[in-house]
Amino acid sequence: MCGIAGVIHRGALSGIGAEMTSMLQALRHRGPDSTGFAIYGTPVEGDFVMRLKVAEQEDMSSGFDIHAKIRARAQEVDRRLAELGVVVKDRAASTEYAMRYVISFDGDLEHLARYVEDVEGTEILSLGGALELVKDLGDATVVSEQYELGGFQGTHAIGHTRMATESDVDIRSAHPYWAFPYNDISVVHNGQLTNYWMKRRDMERKGHRFMSDCDSELLAVYTAHNLAHGVSLEESLERSIREIDGVFTYLVATRDQLGMAKDTMAAKPLVLYESDDLIALASEEVAIRAILPEEIDTHDPYDEEIRVWQA
Amino acid sequence: MKSQDDRTYEMGLHTEQLAGRTQQVFFRPEEEERFVYPWAPDVDYNRRAEVDADSLTSTEVNTKLRELMNEGYGSIVVRNPRGKHSLGVGILNRLNLIFEGSLGYFAVGLIDGPNVRIRGRVGWSCGENMMAGTILIEKNAGSTFGAAMRGGDLVCRGSVGSRTGIDMKGGTIVVGGDTGAFSGFMMQRGRMVVCGNAGKNLGDSMYDGTIYVGGEIRDLGVDAVPAELTDLDRAWLTRKLGQYELLPAHGVDHFTKIVAGKQLWNYDNLEPAEKKLIL
């Protein structure tokens, strides 16, 4: 079933980490397998935030030497960053297998990402100026506390609670998806894409990499590909309704925008609240009420509807 | 003077004369006990109670409503529902129920008798399978509004989502604003009134029933066709919309009436034994 949520404050910072935690916790019943956050803070000129994992959570209970392996992988990541001339300004480990780096780098980001991901078990969850992407097994409260998201200030965020239907219960298959190698793009999705394999092969032929077998990852890669080729976010969302088959509602966030698209059947839910300074949208109104308890006016976007909001 | 049958025929209501096992009579009006649920409490409309749903789960709210009805309270106000799901479902007796705020999915479904007012919005599947009573929503509603409903009035002053009245088998849906795609999909009986615009595939594969649309229709679904708006239609629309204060200032003449083309009908009325004989 899955639950998706998004919130954007126009022209103001807010406690976006706590807000998204509340929204996703209210959607826990739609998917308790994993929870993910894509949160957009204030970018620092020249700096990038990189979130990565060097193992799956389930790996921690398999193999007597997993802890040593993880340490070795983390050291190898650090070594490769140094080799590429990356200046690491801050490094923190939220869990034994998930790290957050603040780096300064003026080289080829795609090369950096591919070289780091070449380390066994390593996946970059996000790499960008404003985006911080966190996802792990458990509900929103568990993940938010584990990664200390409660005090995060930012302009907008999207999030996802996952009920695994077509791929595994692991971090790799959890949302949001970052659109490798383009910084600051993230996607959450509720639905099923029926031409996934065809479109995936199309994207792979164009040189894109997929880290999971989850159909939702396609939307991230597809969007990133479009944006990288000069297509606006509105046009990309519009195209997706014609080019992607299946039933879907998905949200896309970039450094300063939040967008939504709904398929031709309007089979997947979305409730929208819009005011001059705040937009909140979620699979169910109960998630919006988690941050706006007062009586508000909401509505369901219709089939083939797309919207984009500026932060 | 036209007979009642002729009048209902003109209004697009249950005109077909079908035979066969599926057309047996399930309820006889003379058997009064069949219209009363023996466990349904007898309530007094003059006894009023309030429930604050803020810190309660959906199950706790519904249990509280049951307790109050069993104590004879006939007017109940639920405060702070805040989008919770499945509130007020399965009420099978008369009751005045008021929600001071918005509800989530499956609001007030499976009801048979109560009059419900929702001072807010509702999520998906409000009034699903309702048998009788009235539900009035002050704001917007989600998709599958009144799915498979069988009787009563389901009214939304605002706009509703997609697949409104899907598989409806009776009763009346009134929408003050717009409705989304696939509204009236596989509709079998009853009437739907949309004062605003209707999305694509309106009335797709409808078997019977009538849809009235006051605004634009994006397109009609398979086997849904326009029909002439009769004086009886106008009279009924005027009365029904007036009842809920949704009657347009310029009347109802602009409404488009949609019915089933019945080109897809392929009913098999033969009993299994008759089939065997043929075979």
Side-chain angles (χ1 to χ4, degrees):
Chain A
M1 185 157 72
C2 298
I4 58 175
V7 62
I8 183 165
H9 293 267
R10 285 168 162 164
L13 288 174
S14 181
I16 205 88
E19 287 173 0
M20 188 47 62
T21 302
S22 299
M23 292 179 82
L24 294 178
Q25 191 62 24
L27 294 174
R28 185 186 183 281
H29 55 276
R30 293 186 66 89
D33 292 335
S34 61
T35 307
F37 302 75
I39 306 178
Y40 291 77
T42 308
V44 175
E45 193 60 39
D47 285 358
F48 294 98
V49 178
M50 181 169 67
R51 294 261 187 183
L52 60 82
K53 66 177 178 65
V54 293
E56 287 286 339
Q57 192 188 95
E58 64 183 6
D59 293 341
M60 306 308 294
S61 56
S62 61
F64 68 92
D65 60 347
I66 184 66
H67 301 287
K69 276 185 184 172
I70 285 175
R71 277 196 302 277
R73 289 173 189 173
Q75 286 166 3
E76 178 61 15
V77 169
D78 290 341
R79 191 195 66 74
R80 291 190 182 200
L81 290 175
E83 183 188 325
L84 292 172
V86 173
V87 178
V88 177
K89 294 187 169 180
D90 187 36
R91 181 188 187 282
S94 304
T95 66
E96 195 177 349
Y97 50 85
M99 291 91 190
R100 176 183 186 272
Y101 290 82
V102 179
I103 60 172
S104 178
F105 182 60
D106 55 7
D108 181 355
L109 275 180
E110 181 172 356
H111 177 66
L112 163 68
R114 290 190 187 279
Y115 195 41
V116 169
E117 284 200 339
D118 184 54
V119 177
E120 183 191 358
T122 302
E123 179 183 349
I124 297 179
L125 301 178
S126 66
L127 174 57
L131 167 64
E132 301 221 21
L133 198 151
V134 164
K135 51 187 178 180
D136 212 322
L137 310 190
D139 67 23
T141 306
V142 168
V143 176
S144 178
E145 286 178 1
Q146 198 171 16
Y147 288 84
E148 298 176 347
L149 301 178
F152 197 99
Q153 294 283 310
T155 50
H156 57 299
I158 58 176
H160 187 270
T161 60
R162 180 165 187 258
M163 178 175 284
T165 53
E166 293 172 14
S167 45
D168 293 338
V169 178
D170 52 25
I171 301 171
R172 182 182 300 114
S173 305
H175 303 214
Y177 279 103
W178 167 54
F180 177 99
Y182 309 102
N183 60 46
D184 288 327
I185 300 172
S186 61
V187 169
V188 292
H189 161 234
N190 176 25
Q192 292 83 36
L193 309 181
T194 47
N195 62 345
Y196 163 65
W197 287 106
M198 194 174 75
K199 297 297 286 185
R200 174 175 170 160
R201 280 193 288 273
D202 183 32
M203 286 293 143
E204 283 174 334
R205 277 197 295 272
K206 289 171 178 161
H208 296 289
R209 76 90 161 97
F210 286 76
M211 291 298 283
S212 74
D213 289 331
C214 181
D215 57 353
S216 307
E217 188 178 11
L218 172 68
L219 291 168
V221 175
Y222 173 87
T223 306
H225 177 82
N226 286 340
L227 298 193
H229 287 79
V231 178
S232 68
L233 182 56
E234 288 97 329
E235 176 60 22
S236 179
L237 293 166
E238 192 86 56
R239 281 188 194 179
S240 73
I241 291 171
R242 297 193 302 272
E243 294 179 356
I244 306 285
D245 286 340
V247 287
F248 56 82
T249 296
Y250 71 98
L251 309 179
V252 182
T254 66
R255 179 181 285 228
D256 57 358
Q257 288 181 311
L258 176 64
M260 59 134 290
K262 218 169 174 183
D263 70 337
T264 57
M265 304 284 284
K268 293 295 175 181
L270 194 69
V271 181
L272 170 62
Y273 167 73
E274 227 175 333
S275 72
D276 290 341
D277 51 5
L278 172 71
I279 288 95
L281 56 175
S283 299
E284 297 175 12
E285 178 150 345
V286 71
I288 299 174
R289 292 313 176 106
I291 59 168
L292 295 167
E294 68 275 13
E295 196 54 37
I296 51 173
D297 287 340
T298 59
H299 73 275
D300 284 23
Y302 285 131
D303 52 294
E304 300 177 27
E305 191 164 335
I306 65 147
R307 298 288 300 276
V308 174
W309 297 275
Q310 200 74 27
Chain B
M1 185 71 179
K2 291 178 180 173
S3 69
Q4 185 64 32
D5 278 353
D6 290 339
R7 297 171 79 180
T8 53
Y9 182 88
E10 285 182 4
M11 296 182 78
L13 300 175
H14 57 78
T15 53
E16 74 278 25
Q17 295 294 318
L18 299 179
R21 189 171 55 173
T22 58
Q23 298 302 310
Q24 65 185 283
V25 176
F26 291 100
F27 300 102
R28 295 182 188 282
E30 62 270 21
E31 295 175 11
E32 280 188 19
E33 71 277 6
R34 294 207 187 272
F35 294 92
V36 178
Y37 298 95
W39 58 86
D42 189 20
V43 300
D44 179 359
Y45 285 139
N46 294 317
R47 295 189 65 196
R48 188 174 184 279
E50 286 193 7
V51 177
D52 189 346
D54 192 23
S55 59
L56 302 178
T57 65
S58 297
T59 305
E60 288 168 340
V61 174
N62 287 335
T63 304
K64 186 69 182 169
L65 292 176
R66 295 272 179 284
E67 290 169 0
L68 290 169
M69 288 187 293
N70 286 330
E71 291 170 19
Y73 288 96
S75 296
I76 303 176
V77 179
V78 179
R79 299 199 184 278
N80 302 313
R82 296 204 173 134
K84 290 191 173 80
H85 299 315
S86 307
L87 295 187
V89 296
I91 296 172
L92 306 176
N93 49 272
R94 62 189 190 130
L95 178 73
N96 278 330
L97 181 58
I98 299 168
F99 289 96
E100 294 287 357
S102 297
L103 307 187
Y105 287 7
F106 307 110
V108 226
L110 298 159
I111 60 167
D112 195 354
N115 294 318
V116 185
R117 192 176 195 106
I118 300 167
R119 298 191 199 280
R121 178 194 183 277
V122 293
W124 278 32
S125 299
C126 176
E128 180 168 330
N129 256 307
M130 69 180 284
M131 303 284 280
T134 305
I135 302 174
L136 175 59
I137 297 124
E138 303 278 7
K139 294 183 179 176
N140 297 325
S143 296
T144 60
F145 187 62
M149 70 178 284
R150 290 158 187 269
D153 282 4
L154 178 57
V155 184
C156 176
R157 289 196 191 283
S159 293
V160 298
S162 303
R163 299 181 293 287
T164 303
I166 180 173
D167 197 28
M168 71 183 286
K169 299 173 174 71
T172 302
I173 291 177
V174 180
V175 178
D178 301 335
T179 188
F182 295 98
S183 293
F185 179 57
M186 291 190 74
M187 180 181 189
Q188 291 151 50
R189 291 251 198 280
R191 280 174 280 192
M192 184 192 307
V193 187
V194 180
C195 296
N197 303 324
K200 67 184 179 189
N201 289 324
L202 179 70
D204 193 278
S205 304
M206 62 191 289
Y207 292 80
D208 211 335
T210 312
I211 303 173
Y212 303 95
V213 180
E216 299 288 323
I217 298 171
R218 185 166 156 191
D219 60 41
L220 293 176
V222 174
D223 206 24
V225 296
E228 185 187 352
L229 196 70
T230 67
D231 289 342
L232 275 168
D233 291 319
R234 291 188 188 90
W236 181 84
L237 281 169
T238 302
R239 182 174 64 81
K240 188 59 78 176
L241 293 176
Q243 186 181 345
Y244 296 108
E245 299 170 347
L246 289 170
L247 183 63
H250 50 291
V252 298
D253 287 345
H254 63 290
F255 273 80
T256 305
K257 178 182 177 182
I258 304 297
V259 297
K262 301 183 180 177
Q263 297 302 304
L264 295 179
W265 278 25
N266 187 23
Y267 287 119
D268 181 353
N269 296 324
L270 297 179
E271 296 288 353
E274 291 174 290
K275 283 183 184 171
K276 282 184 184 174
L277 280 174
I278 293 170
L279 292 171

